[in-house]
Amino acid sequence: MRAYRWMLVAGLCAVTACSEQRSPVSVAEESEVRPLGIDREARRAPMERLARRVALALADPEFRAYVRRSLDASPFGERKLPFSRFLSAEGSRAGAALARADGSSAAAVIADLTMAGGLEFYFPVSAHRTAWQGGEDLLVATEVEDHEAPVAFDTKGGRHVLDPRTPPRTPVLAVVLQETDFETPSALQGAVVTPCDTCETPGTGGTGTGGGGLPHPADGPPSLRMTYFNVTKDFEGWLKGDPEYEIHVMAPVSQTDTAHYRTLYCVGEHGIRYWNNDNDSWSGDEVLMTPQELDAYHTAFPRNNYSVLAIEDDDTSCEIRVDGDRLSALIGAVSRAYANYKAARDSLGLNGKTVDAARAAYTVIATIANFFKTNDDMIGIAVANSITGLYSPNANWAWIGENANRYGFVKLELK
C-alpha cells in the first residue's frame, strides 16, 4: 500500500499545486501507521469528504466512463478496487479529478485519505452494478459502522441519508472501510486457495462453496467437518456487500498457557481453507480440522477442548477483531444461560465417529476477549443441542450469541 500512496502524492503534486510543502515519503509513512490507531469515529468526516468529491467528479461523463472501465476491469471479488490504488492509477487521474471536483488542494485529498485509512471502492449491490449504464443516475455512499444509515452524495454534491436496511433503486457506489486484503491471491475473482499441505482440495456443495474434497475411507481416521451452516440474522449491511462468514477453531495459546485462547484454524473466504457462503443457509462438506491436525491437537492439549466460533468479518480476514466488551458480554451470557457449558471435543476413540459435548477442562473462554479489537459481528459460540435443549432437523449444535440468543445452527461431524 505504501508504494501506491506515494504514487498518489507524487501524481497529485504533479497535476495540481500542493498547498503544503511536505515530503511525499513522510505522508506515505504516516498513512501506513496512523489509521491503525485512529478511532473509527475520527474517520467519518474524511470519508464523507472523499465520497462527496467522488460524486462531484462523476458529474463529468469522461470520468464516469473511466470509473466504469476501472470497475469492470477489477480482478478482485465483487469487482472491488482498493481506493488509494484507484486514485493513484494512470498518473493519479482519479486523484486529480477528486481534487478538482470541489476546488480543494491535493494536500487536502491526501490528508483525508490518510485519516480515513484503508478504503475500498465498488458497487456493493450487484444489481446496481448491472443496472448502471454510465449515466448521472447514481450516488456515492459511505459509512463507518456496519448497519448504520449510509450517507450518500449525488453528482451535484447533495447529501442524502439512506435506509440502512434496504438499498435505494438508484445505483450506489461505496467508499467504505477496507475488508479485503488485496495483496493475497484469495482476493481475486473466483479464487480458491488452500495454502497448507494437509488441506484437502476445495469443492462445491449446497448453496455455497466449500472445501470438502475427497471423503476419507470408512475405516480411516476422521476429520472434523462442517456439513450445515445457518444464521437467522442479517450480519452484513447492504453497503458492505456480501457477508464474509468465518468459522474459527479456538485453542489454548500454548501448552504452558491453557488459560488464554487463540484462533488455531480459520475457514472462510480468505481462511486457511476456502469456504465462501453468502446465504443464510448452506449445506456441503467443509473440513475444519484434518485427521493430522486433530491428532496433533490432542497430543498438544490432551486435557483441553477446542471451541468453534462463527463471526462475520468486517475487518482483517481470519483475525478476530471484535470489541472486547461485546465478547465478554457474549461469554458471560452463554455462561449464565448454560452453567454446564461444554466446549466442542471430538470423541475420537471413545464413542465412534461423532462429535460429543465433552465437559470443558477450562473456564468458559472469557479470556479470548483480548483478541477482539474492532467491530466484527459475532454470530456465536457453538453449543451442543444436547446442552441448549434446542432442536434442528439439520444440525446438532447451535450458534449462541449475544444475550444468549440463538443466531443459527451448525452441524459438526467426524467423518
Side-chain angles (χ1 to χ4, degrees):
M1 175 94 55
R2 177 172 297 180
Y4 291 106
R5 199 67 58 86
W6 188 92
M7 289 166 60
L8 173 62
V9 174
L12 282 176
C13 287
V15 175
T16 65
C18 289
S19 61
E20 297 180 22
Q21 297 301 315
R22 299 185 66 186
S23 162
V25 174
S26 67
V27 173
E29 289 174 345
E30 191 173 293
S31 69
E32 291 301 306
V33 176
R34 291 186 61 197
L36 297 178
I38 292 175
D39 183 270
R40 292 171 74 93
E41 192 61 30
R43 305 169 80 169
R44 186 178 302 279
M47 288 173 64
E48 288 195 19
R49 287 191 293 267
L50 289 168
R52 184 173 185 271
R53 290 187 183 105
V54 173
L56 288 169
L58 285 166
D60 178 4
E62 290 187 9
F63 186 68
R64 291 200 300 272
Y66 174 65
V67 168
R68 184 179 178 87
R69 288 196 306 272
S70 299
L71 292 170
D72 287 346
S74 170
F76 301 109
E78 299 181 77
R79 298 299 180 192
K80 291 182 177 182
L81 289 172
F83 190 60
S84 63
R85 193 181 306 182
F86 167 67
L87 297 187
S88 301
E90 297 190 16
S92 296
R93 177 176 177 176
L98 263 63
R100 290 193 302 267
D102 67 348
S104 60
S105 66
V109 175
I110 294 164
D112 282 342
L113 190 65
T114 299
M115 285 298 297
L119 303 173
E120 54 191 25
F121 180 53
Y122 71 121
F123 281 106
V125 179
S126 60
H128 287 178
R129 184 169 60 244
T130 302
W132 187 55
Q133 298 300 309
E136 287 189 81
D137 56 331
L138 81 165
L139 300 168
V140 181
T142 190
E143 66 179 12
V144 174
E145 302 293 346
D146 195 12
H147 296 290
E148 72 180 13
V151 172
F153 299 91
D154 57 42
T155 57
K156 293 181 174 58
R159 188 177 188 272
H160 309 266
V161 178
L162 306 181
D163 188 330
R165 296 173 298 277
T166 307
R169 296 184 65 179
T170 302
V172 177
L173 273 168
V175 178
V176 290
L177 301 180
Q178 182 176 317
E179 288 186 344
T180 304
D181 183 353
F182 292 102
E183 304 305 319
T184 63
S186 59
L188 299 174
Q189 282 277 358
V192 177
V193 179
T194 55
C196 63
D197 294 338
T198 59
C199 294
E200 296 176 82
T201 304
T204 59
T207 57
T209 300
L214 296 174
H216 292 293
D219 58 350
S223 56
L224 177 65
R225 295 174 180 248
M226 176 178 68
T227 56
Y228 178 78
F229 171 88
N230 161 260
V231 291
T232 58
K233 176 184 173 182
D234 181 8
F235 286 95
E236 182 83 298
W238 64 265
L239 195 65
K240 300 297 285 290
D242 295 333
E244 287 80 35
Y245 294 123
E246 295 177 352
I247 309 299
H248 291 250
V249 177
M250 311 303 299
V253 169
S254 68
Q255 291 181 342
T256 57
D257 184 359
T258 57
H260 299 82
Y261 285 77
R262 62 189 169 91
T263 294
L264 183 63
Y265 300 108
C266 173
V267 174
E269 192 170 352
H270 306 289
I272 191 171
R273 292 185 183 85
Y274 181 84
W275 175 65
N276 184 24
N277 169 50
D278 297 328
N279 300 288
D280 292 341
S281 293
W282 168 91
S283 295
D285 195 2
E286 179 68 30
V287 174
L288 302 185
M289 296 175 75
T290 67
Q292 296 86 354
E293 290 163 351
L294 281 168
D295 185 61
Y297 179 86
H298 293 311
T299 299
F301 306 105
R303 300 178 62 185
N304 293 86
N305 303 329
Y306 49 81
S307 284
V308 180
L309 177 73
I311 68 171
E312 195 287 314
D313 178 60
D314 279 337
D315 286 286
T316 306
S317 298
C318 274
E319 291 183 21
I320 297 178
R321 300 171 69 84
V322 174
D323 179 78
D325 291 338
R326 292 177 63 208
L327 182 63
S328 294
L330 161 65
I331 299 297
V334 172
S335 182
R336 288 190 298 273
Y338 306 108
N340 59 341
Y341 166 75
K342 297 175 174 66
R345 182 180 177 88
D346 66 273
S347 58
L348 184 61
L350 297 177
N351 298 316
K353 296 177 181 178
T354 61
V355 178
D356 289 343
R359 184 170 299 279
Y362 54 88
T363 303
V364 180
I365 54 175
T367 51
I368 201 176
N370 294 330
F371 296 93
F372 283 67
K373 307 295 184 184
T374 57
N375 289 317
D376 291 344
D377 284 316
M378 295 176 291
I379 298 172
I381 297 172
V383 181
N385 291 354
S386 60
I387 300 301
T388 65
L390 298 170
Y391 170 76
S392 167
N394 302 309
N396 52 1
W397 295 69
W399 298 122
I400 303 301
E402 290 180 286
N403 299 317
N405 291 323
R406 177 186 64 81
Y407 288 113
F409 284 102
V410 60
K411 187 169 187 178
L412 303 176
E413 296 185 81
L414 277 171
K415 62 178 186 176

